[in-house]
Amino acid sequence: MTLFYEKMTSPLGALYIVCSHTEVKSILFSSSWAEYRQENQDSLLAKHTSLTQKVIRQLEQYFAKKRTQFDLPLAPEGTEFQKKVWSVLESIPHGKTLSYQEQAVKTGRKQAVRAVGAANGRNPIPIVIPCHRVIGKNGKLTGYAGGLSIKEKLLKLEQSL
């Protein structure tokens, strides 16, 4: 399957949007782009598509505080457990947070806090699937694939509305 990608400049630095013809597959921070590109080089094509442009437009609106929800066809690839964890992420309202413990309970696996954290770390569509909204039980910021400073910026952006 051919995947199309486009680079976007954001307040967080470069973001790479990866889509099929019909679905968003990944959004990558610059820190993970080189490895992803190497692993998927045979299927990646740099190209503006109507879908990559739609993603960029919605992300720009989000960063400009003009959008609190995304309307995109998402197709994150993962295990059934990961997909269940990610669906809980999508239910966290804009500007709100949830602890990993609360997320584990909502996933139906209250003892699986570490597994939930690991699944969040594998979320292929950050920001849109808002894993940055999950914090430690003590209210502290913990773990984020893009780095804690990016997680903090995203939470401040959302809480400033």
Side-chain angles (χ1 to χ4, degrees):
M1 168 195 335
T2 301
L3 296 173
F4 306 100
Y5 75 90
E6 191 166 347
K7 180 181 178 181
M8 169 192 181
T9 302
S10 82
L12 307 174
L15 295 176
Y16 294 85
I17 315 305
V18 180
C19 299
S20 69
H21 283 289
T22 58
E23 301 168 315
V24 180
K25 303 302 257 176
S26 296
I27 295 175
L28 297 118
F29 297 104
S30 58
S31 59
S32 55
W33 173 244
E35 182 179 344
Y36 180 89
R37 186 173 183 184
Q38 180 68 29
E39 290 173 1
N40 296 281
Q41 64 186 340
D42 294 338
S43 60
L44 281 172
L45 179 63
K47 184 177 179 185
H48 298 286
T49 68
S50 60
L51 184 52
T52 60
Q53 286 296 293
K54 182 177 181 180
V55 175
I56 289 171
R57 199 169 37 257
Q58 289 193 22
L59 284 168
E60 288 172 343
Q61 292 166 348
Y62 169 81
F63 289 121
K65 301 179 187 178
K66 295 179 180 173
R67 176 176 288 278
T68 59
Q69 293 183 326
F70 295 93
D71 180 24
L72 298 165
L74 306 179
E77 292 183 15
T79 66
E80 288 307 310
F81 176 72
Q82 288 170 332
K83 289 177 183 179
K84 189 169 189 175
V85 168
W86 301 334
S87 72
V88 171
L89 293 173
E90 292 179 284
S91 73
I92 305 170
H94 184 89
K96 303 292 182 189
T97 59
L98 197 68
S99 73
Y100 289 97
Q101 180 67 56
E102 291 167 319
Q103 186 184 13
V105 168
K106 287 182 180 253
T107 302
R109 307 249 326 257
K110 67 179 182 178
Q111 301 299 321
V113 176
R114 288 180 191 250
V116 163
N120 285 351
R122 294 191 177 273
N123 172 14
I125 311 175
I127 304 170
V128 175
I129 299 178
C131 51
H132 61 276
R133 295 179 187 155
V134 182
I135 59 174
K137 186 168 60 174
N138 60 3
K140 302 237 185 215
L141 300 187
T142 60
Y144 190 65
L148 287 182
S149 65
I150 289 179
K151 184 173 188 167
E152 184 176 19
K153 286 177 186 176
L154 290 167
L155 290 172
K156 282 185 179 178
L157 171 82
E158 292 185 5
Q159 291 167 352
S160 68
L161 287 177

